[in-house]
Amino acid sequence: MRPLGFSTGALAYGDFRCALRILAETDATAVELSALRQSELGPLVASLKELDLSQYAHISVHLPSAIEPDFESALLTLAREIPSEWLLVTHPDIIRSWRAWESLGSRVCIENMDKRKEVGQTARHLRRVFGQLPDATFCFDIGHAHQVDPTMGEAVLILEEFQDKLCQLHISEVNSESKHDPISLEAAMAFEVVATLIPENVPAILESKIPRGIDPVAQVTSEMELVDHLLSIPVEVVGD
Amino acid sequence: METKRDKNPAQETWEYTAVNESDNLDLFMGLSEPRPLIKLADSLGHEWRHLRKAGQEADKAIDELNKLLSVEVGKNFASEDANLVVFGSLARKEWIDYVSDLDWTYLVDGQARSEHLEVSQKIKAALPKDSRPPQGAHSRRRQDREYRFGEPGQTGTFGNLGFSQQLIHQIGGQDDTNKNTSQRILLLLESTPVGMRSAHERVARAIIKRYLDEEPHLLVRDGSRFKVPRFLLNDVVRFWRTMAVDFASKQRDRGGDGWGLRNAKLRMSRKLIFVSGLLTCFSCHLDPRLQAKISTGNRDIKLAHLENHIWEYVQQTPLDIVALSITKHEVERQTAVQLFSAYDKFLEVMADREKRQRLKDLRAEQSRTDPVFLEIREASDQFAGALHQIFFNNKVFSSLTEKYGVF
């Protein structure tokens, strides 16, 4: 059974407590605690012991997506205060001191990037990253891969090469301005292309933006049901 | 599930050593490998001086074009959704500085915005700013200046905005104009982005997928190999024949002006594009790495493998595609030397300003006696002879040529 849940940043930007309150009313079994801005990481780490996360079989922390160069050392210190069984989802372009990150071993979970970043979108780039961090794990962001290459050809390359490192999925639609949207039919069809390459027990974290004014619990439940369906469609092998 | 994570618990000790950003980016940017052409030249012990020089000048020109536009148009002259794409000799790495024309398109793949036209106009206005005093018999002179990035040809195919929609969706049918066909095939076979590259890659991949989507079967009947993608192959062939027919049409329209230069290009560089397209299509059936992936996945996954293979091929220049094919399929050494030596000679003539100008001024009726044109004809005969060896006498390629190349 695949653990399935949401990113707190997608549910309530900059307010993980609010997001956790919404998720507590759903059947989510996975959560990603989001600290996308540098300033959010310290407060998140400081409050970890107070949070009730007992409903989740899978927990990860999304480290800041951009940092000041001199914050890297502090970030790594904070990361070590996070429970060691949680993944640390990381954008490869924030890493400068590869050796220091390597010591975090498999907890460093490298995410493939969207088209705004200079690096990290392709299998070729990721090969370089994992060459530097051989023990690091992999978070496959389907929305980023679809935005970079809507044919999903690059996604197939990435998944085939790094399947044994795959420890988490990010699922959403990423629009042309690199914002996360609810999943469209076109994106859903693209996800189906790679569904067969994703082991059924890899946790999936949704990043779909929940529109304001709509019951968030109902919206979260609906998006999770859609993703559960997309990732569990039996493969029909027709022709070649 | 046992994962990589379970096998490698984090270490307890660590130290932090700051590094600068440029070191970090080098990790990603230093990805280039030697070109197949250069590897082949080295393995055969041939210099092919003009081929090497044109490649080096192309790399330098692309770098300096990027800098010029960053200054003149602004850093955002290219974005994630709109890229400057160059074609022709610059993309083929056959660039001759201050002599070759610059064929370019501002390719939009995303939300259409009025600013795109403005950027494309600014690019057009910025290109003449890299210029110098005239230095020889042939030059693109205007008011006693010689331009590094000369204006594209007169057909209107380049030098303006281009949109992904028509390139991807109008393949064949009444609306697929000469211009659209040319832009589409050249985008695949001889284009490269300057600055950001994401739109270029998305569009190229989408075009490849569009061709493959129309194939009812991706594999041969016994499932042992990928088929040669006929839809793509037929469009490559159509493009080549269109270029040949247009050559005659331009001869009429322009009253014979520029006949010698156009004829030389048709015999060599235009033919090379066609050859690289054929070899790319044939490689789908021949490449052992690609065939090894057949056993996995459904049609979507197989199609993705085929698309990735073609994309990997067409990111290389036509010369490199030919060099790669020669290397992979053990074409005779003598044939390889003949082919690239002939092309090296062609570039030597193209880079000679006096000879180039003479070709430009040459009319068809003078072609049998003109010494410069005879040099070109000798080189093109050698080139054609080597191609004949590859496509009709090499046991790997000849059966495919017979099956797909004619009927």
Side-chain angles (χ1 to χ4, degrees):
Chain A
M1 187 71 180
R2 182 191 307 282
L4 187 61
F6 251 82
S7 151
T8 58
L11 287 177
Y13 188 62
D15 188 350
F16 58 88
R17 291 176 200 279
C18 172
L20 289 172
R21 281 196 297 275
I22 296 169
L23 279 182
E25 294 181 49
T26 71
D27 294 331
T29 52
V31 68
E32 181 179 272
L33 302 168
S34 173
L36 284 178
R37 287 174 293 187
Q38 181 176 309
S39 59
E40 292 176 62
L41 185 61
L44 173 68
V45 171
S47 61
L48 288 179
K49 285 181 184 163
E50 305 159 17
L51 303 177
D52 177 9
L53 303 171
S54 56
Q55 82 182 78
Y56 306 111
H58 171 83
I59 304 168
S60 60
V61 173
H62 198 311
L63 297 179
S65 57
I67 58 170
E68 299 294 325
D70 58 4
F71 185 68
E72 188 177 30
S73 178
L75 181 148
L76 288 165
T77 303
L78 286 167
R80 283 168 195 285
E81 294 177 29
I82 295 169
S84 61
E85 63 273 25
W86 298 359
L87 291 175
L88 304 170
V89 177
T90 308
H91 289 190
D93 61 323
I94 69 162
I95 300 175
R96 290 186 174 81
S97 178
W98 294 95
R99 224 177 129 198
W101 285 82
E102 194 183 359
S103 67
L104 284 166
S106 58
R107 297 185 62 203
V108 181
C109 189
I110 296 292
E111 180 184 0
N112 57 304
M113 296 288 87
D114 66 25
K115 65 182 182 181
R116 290 173 302 175
K117 298 290 179 98
E118 273 189 88
V119 298
Q121 299 100 335
T122 63
R124 206 166 170 221
H125 277 171
L126 292 169
R127 201 175 302 139
R128 294 282 173 133
V129 173
F130 289 119
Q132 295 290 314
L133 302 174
D135 295 333
T137 47
F138 179 43
C139 172
F140 180 60
D141 190 310
I142 298 183
H144 288 173
H146 181 242
Q147 186 208 40
V148 167
D149 171 24
T151 71
M152 298 303 271
E154 191 67 39
V156 169
L157 273 182
I158 290 172
L159 280 170
E160 288 192 336
E161 186 161 349
F162 305 110
Q163 200 176 41
D164 67 330
K165 288 179 171 290
L166 188 61
C167 282
Q168 184 178 294
L169 301 173
H170 271 170
I171 298 181
S172 71
E173 168 117 21
V174 181
N175 66 25
S176 61
E177 294 182 336
S178 298
K179 305 289 183 204
H180 292 281
D181 275 349
I183 293 162
S184 68
L185 177 63
E186 203 265 336
M189 286 165 64
F191 298 167
E192 284 177 25
V193 172
V194 294
T196 58
L197 298 176
I198 298 170
E200 61 184 16
N201 51 358
V202 173
I205 298 293
L206 279 72
E207 294 183 308
S208 308
K209 189 178 168 190
I210 300 300
R212 288 185 177 185
I214 298 177
D215 175 5
V217 173
Q219 188 72 17
V220 165
T221 302
S222 160
E223 285 281 300
M224 288 203 306
E225 284 172 358
L226 171 61
V227 167
D228 195 33
H229 173 69
L230 284 176
L231 291 175
S232 60
I233 292 172
V235 183
E236 193 181 349
V237 181
V238 178
D240 52 29
Chain B
M1 177 182 67
E2 186 190 38
T3 67
K4 187 81 179 165
R5 222 185 135 200
D6 303 317
K7 297 174 197 163
N8 294 285
Q11 296 167 20
E12 289 303 315
T13 58
W14 67 290
E15 59 182 64
Y16 182 79
T17 311
V19 294
N20 66 44
E21 188 163 9
S22 61
D23 288 347
N24 192 46
L25 277 177
D26 282 350
L27 174 72
F28 298 99
M29 299 309 174
L31 296 173
S32 60
E33 292 171 6
R35 296 174 61 191
L37 171 67
I38 303 303
K39 282 203 265 189
L40 179 66
D42 291 344
S43 74
L44 294 174
H46 275 261
E47 177 65 16
W48 294 327
R49 187 161 56 93
H50 303 284
L51 287 169
R52 287 180 198 257
K53 187 177 176 213
Q56 288 157 359
E57 287 196 350
D59 290 341
K60 191 161 170 267
I62 286 178
D63 189 39
E64 289 174 12
L65 176 60
N66 192 11
K67 285 177 188 158
L68 171 74
L69 295 176
S70 297
V71 171
E72 296 294 332
V73 186
K75 258 195 149 179
N76 295 328
F77 77 86
S79 69
E80 300 95 348
D81 291 340
N83 296 168
L84 174 66
V85 179
V86 296
F87 299 82
S89 54
L90 189 54
R92 293 197 310 273
K93 291 187 186 278
E94 297 170 25
W95 180 254
I96 301 161
D97 235 4
Y98 291 94
V99 172
S100 301
D101 291 335
L102 179 68
D103 292 338
W104 62 273
T105 288
Y106 195 58
L107 177 65
V108 179
D109 177 49
Q111 292 175 352
R113 297 210 300 261
S114 60
E115 292 86 350
H116 290 142
L117 177 63
E118 197 183 328
V119 174
S120 119
Q121 287 168 339
K122 281 183 180 172
I123 290 171
K124 199 172 195 169
L127 294 175
K129 296 197 174 172
D130 193 344
S131 65
R132 67 183 185 187
Q135 299 195 353
H138 163 79
S139 63
R140 253 186 310 275
R141 291 187 195 189
R142 246 181 282 136
Q143 297 168 343
D144 292 330
R145 298 300 293 171
E146 189 173 89
Y147 296 94
R148 187 174 193 186
F149 302 115
E151 285 183 7
Q154 304 165 28
T155 59
T157 305
F158 298 110
N160 44 36
L161 276 176
F163 295 92
S164 58
Q165 165 82 17
Q166 63 219 39
L167 296 175
I168 296 165
H169 293 289
Q170 289 173 1
I171 305 184
Q174 296 295 330
D175 297 326
D176 192 9
T177 59
N178 263 12
K179 180 178 166 181
N180 197 50
T181 302
S182 300
Q183 285 194 336
R184 180 175 64 247
I185 295 294
L186 293 177
L187 192 90
L188 290 186
L189 296 178
E190 64 147 37
S191 73
T192 193
V194 176
M196 291 196 73
R197 48 198 316 128
S198 49
H200 174 259
E201 174 166 347
R202 279 199 309 277
V203 177
R205 276 185 171 279
I207 291 171
I208 295 167
K209 184 167 187 292
R210 174 72 217 289
Y211 283 115
L212 300 180
D213 276 340
E214 308 300 332
E215 295 287 340
H217 301 287
L218 299 175
L219 303 180
V220 296
R221 209 176 283 260
D222 69 4
S224 62
R225 283 172 180 268
F226 279 97
K227 292 176 67 178
V228 170
R230 271 193 197 267
F231 186 24
L232 172 60
L233 178 117
N234 286 336
D235 216 24
V236 169
V237 173
R238 176 171 75 144
F239 171 67
W240 163 237
R241 294 297 177 199
T242 300
M243 279 194 294
V245 171
D246 280 357
F247 170 77
S249 164
K250 282 176 186 169
Q251 158 78 353
R252 181 183 166 87
D253 289 349
R254 298 176 190 178
D257 284 353
W259 182 91
L261 190 58
R262 278 204 308 280
N263 188 284
K265 288 180 178 177
L266 188 65
R267 286 165 177 264
M268 301 297 289
S269 49
R270 307 272 192 259
K271 189 178 284 181
L272 175 73
I273 297 168
F274 170 52
V275 167
S276 70
L278 274 185
L279 290 173
T280 299
C281 292
F282 287 178
S283 74
C284 299
H285 186 70
L286 298 173
D287 189 283
R289 262 193 329 151
L290 179 63
Q291 316 312 323
K293 293 179 177 175
I294 285 178
S295 59
T296 57
N298 56 13
R299 180 182 161 96
D300 285 338
I301 301 293
K302 288 189 181 77
L303 194 146
H305 286 145
L306 195 51
E307 176 202 319
N308 286 332
H309 170 81
I310 295 172
W311 171 235
E312 194 180 316
Y313 249 70
V314 299
Q315 284 179 84
Q316 304 177 81
T317 70
L319 282 169
D320 287 309
I321 290 173
V322 175
L324 190 66
S325 305
I326 282 176
T327 308
K328 276 188 173 175
H329 301 295
E330 295 172 4
V331 169
E332 285 176 0
R333 175 193 166 95
Q334 188 189 339
T335 304
V337 170
Q338 182 180 328
L339 188 147
F340 288 108
S341 297
Y343 211 89
D344 192 61
K345 177 67 185 173
F346 164 66
L347 287 188
E348 181 188 349
V349 174
M350 289 293 106
D352 183 315
R353 289 159 173 263
E354 287 186 16
K355 288 181 177 177
R356 191 180 174 110
Q357 190 60 45
R358 190 179 175 106
L359 283 174
K360 212 168 183 177
D361 296 338
L362 185 77
R363 303 184 75 82
E365 52 272 25
Q366 303 160 320
S367 63
R368 293 204 166 160
T369 53
D370 183 83
V372 176
F373 193 79
L374 290 178
E375 275 187 76
I376 286 291
R377 203 167 67 185
E378 166 68 18
S380 67
D381 285 349
Q382 291 293 316
F383 184 60
L387 292 177
H388 186 91
Q389 275 298 118
I390 294 170
F391 284 96
F392 293 97
N393 294 337
N394 176 284
K395 64 180 182 206
V396 175
F397 292 112
S398 59
S399 59
L400 294 176
T401 306
E402 194 179 325
K403 183 170 180 183
Y404 295 100
V406 185
F407 296 110

